[in-house]
Amino acid sequence: MTTFELEAIGGPLARRLARRREEETFAWEELDPLSRHASAETARLAWTRSAFSEYASAAAFAEITAGLLAVGAPIDLTAAAADFVVDEVLHAELSARIAMGLGGAVPLEVDLARLVRPPSSRAPLLSVAEQVVRTSCVGESLTVSVLLEAKAASIGVVGEVIGRIVRDEAEHAELGWTFLDWAAERLSASDREHLARAAEQAIASFAPLFSAECAAPSALGLLSCDVFDPAFKLALSRRVLGPLASRGIVVAL
Amino acid sequence: MRRRVLTTTKILAIAFTSAACTKPEVRPDLAPSATPSSALATVVAKDASADPKLLALQGELMGMPRVKVLENVAHFRPLCDKDGYPLVGNLNQKAQFPGMEVSELCAEVRKKPS
């Protein structure tokens, strides 16, 4: 286990990453007064966790990229997955900047050797399909809806950063549906059954989100339970279960 | 060929505030703190009227090397599944209390002798 922090070398490498957002200028100085906001402490935890979630998503798309290469997937699909690794690294940086602007990260204990759950199938196509279903069809699809709510409820630079992230996450979700449509002819009925179980497992893992006591919402990117919970449930139905079912992957919850 | 010595810059660093132990309400006399380097000083300012034992402990922490401070700070956990893998996607926007982690940290801090 290690304490999660991020570092950069700077120079040409940092400029290469910065090109991803060169058209955007974020007013980071707005965070200074916000760091004294009553919910800054809770927000620092949320944004540190957010940086780590984005970091883990980068690892997931790196594995998806390798899996797509291994099955000879269309090169533009593979290139998109590879590109998403960089998107997620940038999101980690943006989340980190908010956490730092609010006073710094909280000490988050993470296991960098366990960033992505390994697929349970060893068959190359089913293995990458499992990763895609978990990451894009479930994780990214749910993220889009929740972040849209968070953006609407946030002020200034916090809302702008969430907006920047959600713009990418919508594409990341779409990759999942594109992959399934491409692979449709190659997936058997039992493969679809396997993918349904993988989706169920991913969805079930969100249960702890609904057991903890809710704090007050804030304009620092945090949603109250009465906004988060319905948004999550609606997204689960419309953005995850429905599209999966239409592709023969029927999830029983 | 001489080997380059590369230095890195932290873009996400722990604030040694242990601020979870401070009261959640914000006092109007707080000094601004936007950088981690000033965060510890802010905590001292936040707790100027707090328990003298806690204040002494914070002073003690200020003099500690970074590694020692980290040993003395309770760690939070990312959102994970039952096997410890991070939840897929980014669903950290729910305003949840840090929960027992905070209570435990505060209890540990207050147990320390002055």
Side-chain angles (χ1 to χ4, degrees):
Chain A
M1 300 296 277
T2 184
T3 303
F4 183 60
E5 293 186 301
L6 294 172
E7 59 184 13
I9 291 176
L13 293 176
R15 283 197 292 277
R16 185 182 175 86
L17 180 59
R19 280 205 296 268
R20 284 291 178 123
R21 54 177 171 81
E22 66 185 354
E23 77 279 13
E24 292 143 333
T25 50
F26 296 106
W28 300 114
E29 65 278 6
E30 285 181 14
L31 294 170
D32 185 20
L34 297 177
S35 69
R36 299 187 293 279
H37 193 281
S39 0
E41 208 52 53
T42 314
R44 282 176 47 222
L45 173 61
W47 283 102
T48 307
R49 280 179 168 160
S50 175
F52 178 67
S53 290
E54 300 290 357
Y55 189 88
S57 295
F61 278 113
E63 297 209 359
I64 287 170
T65 302
L68 291 173
L69 288 166
V71 298
I75 57 170
D76 45 359
L77 186 66
T78 307
D83 211 37
F84 295 169
V85 177
V86 187
D87 284 349
E88 301 292 8
V89 170
L90 178 63
H91 299 171
E93 186 204 348
L94 294 174
S95 298
R97 278 178 172 261
I98 292 192
M100 294 296 278
L102 294 175
V106 301
L108 200 66
E109 197 170 71
V110 300
D111 186 350
L112 296 181
R114 291 165 71 89
L115 289 174
V116 185
R117 174 180 283 279
S120 55
S121 170
R122 291 192 172 187
L125 182 66
L126 192 54
S127 166
V128 68
E130 199 179 320
Q131 298 282 35
V132 167
V133 164
R134 278 203 188 108
T135 304
S136 288
C137 301
V138 176
E140 300 289 322
S141 295
L142 291 171
T143 299
V144 169
S145 290
V146 168
L147 287 184
L148 283 171
E149 293 287 348
K151 177 178 182 291
S154 298
I155 57 171
V157 65
V158 177
E160 287 165 14
V161 165
I162 295 174
R164 174 62 175 81
I165 292 174
V166 78
R167 202 174 73 202
D168 293 333
E169 306 293 23
E171 288 184 30
H172 300 180
E174 190 56 38
L175 178 134
W177 310 120
T178 305
F179 169 84
L180 288 177
D181 293 342
W182 168 74
E185 300 290 311
R186 301 165 177 80
L187 294 172
S188 67
S190 71
D191 288 343
R192 291 174 204 279
E193 181 66 22
H194 180 90
L195 294 176
R197 300 295 82 78
E200 281 168 23
Q201 188 181 41
I203 293 164
S205 69
F206 292 115
L209 281 173
F210 298 94
S211 59
E213 191 182 353
C214 229
S218 82
L220 301 180
L222 302 179
L223 294 171
S224 63
C225 289
D226 60 358
V227 174
F228 183 98
D229 295 0
F232 181 96
K233 286 170 189 162
L234 188 64
L236 185 59
S237 169
R238 288 191 183 169
R239 292 181 182 262
V240 179
L241 301 182
L244 281 174
S246 72
R247 290 166 174 86
I249 299 169
V250 181
V251 176
L253 291 177
Chain B
M1 189 173 158
R2 190 185 295 176
R3 189 179 159 206
R4 287 185 303 166
V5 178
L6 289 176
T7 56
T8 60
T9 306
K10 291 271 186 203
I11 57 174
L12 182 70
I14 307 303
F16 297 134
T17 62
S18 297
C21 287
T22 60
K23 291 178 182 175
E25 65 268 27
V26 174
R27 289 172 32 179
D29 58 342
L30 285 183
S33 171
T35 61
S37 58
S38 64
L40 191 55
T42 304
V43 167
V44 174
K46 276 183 181 177
D47 286 346
S49 61
D51 184 342
K53 288 181 183 174
L54 188 57
L55 200 56
L57 174 64
Q58 286 168 340
E60 182 190 319
L61 286 174
M62 282 184 80
M64 279 184 183
R66 178 183 175 84
V67 65
K68 294 295 288 181
V69 173
L70 278 175
E71 286 172 6
N72 283 276
V73 174
H75 280 67
F76 294 86
R77 306 278 181 173
L79 298 177
C80 284
D81 65 20
K82 61 182 174 54
D83 300 318
Y85 291 102
L87 298 187
V88 289
N90 182 349
L91 293 160
N92 296 282
Q93 278 68 34
K94 190 166 184 177
Q96 289 182 311
F97 285 117
M100 288 304 292
E101 290 164 316
V102 175
S103 310
E104 285 165 3
L105 171 61
C106 295
E108 283 304 308
V109 167
R110 291 193 168 87
K111 265 191 263 175
K112 298 248 180 186
S114 59

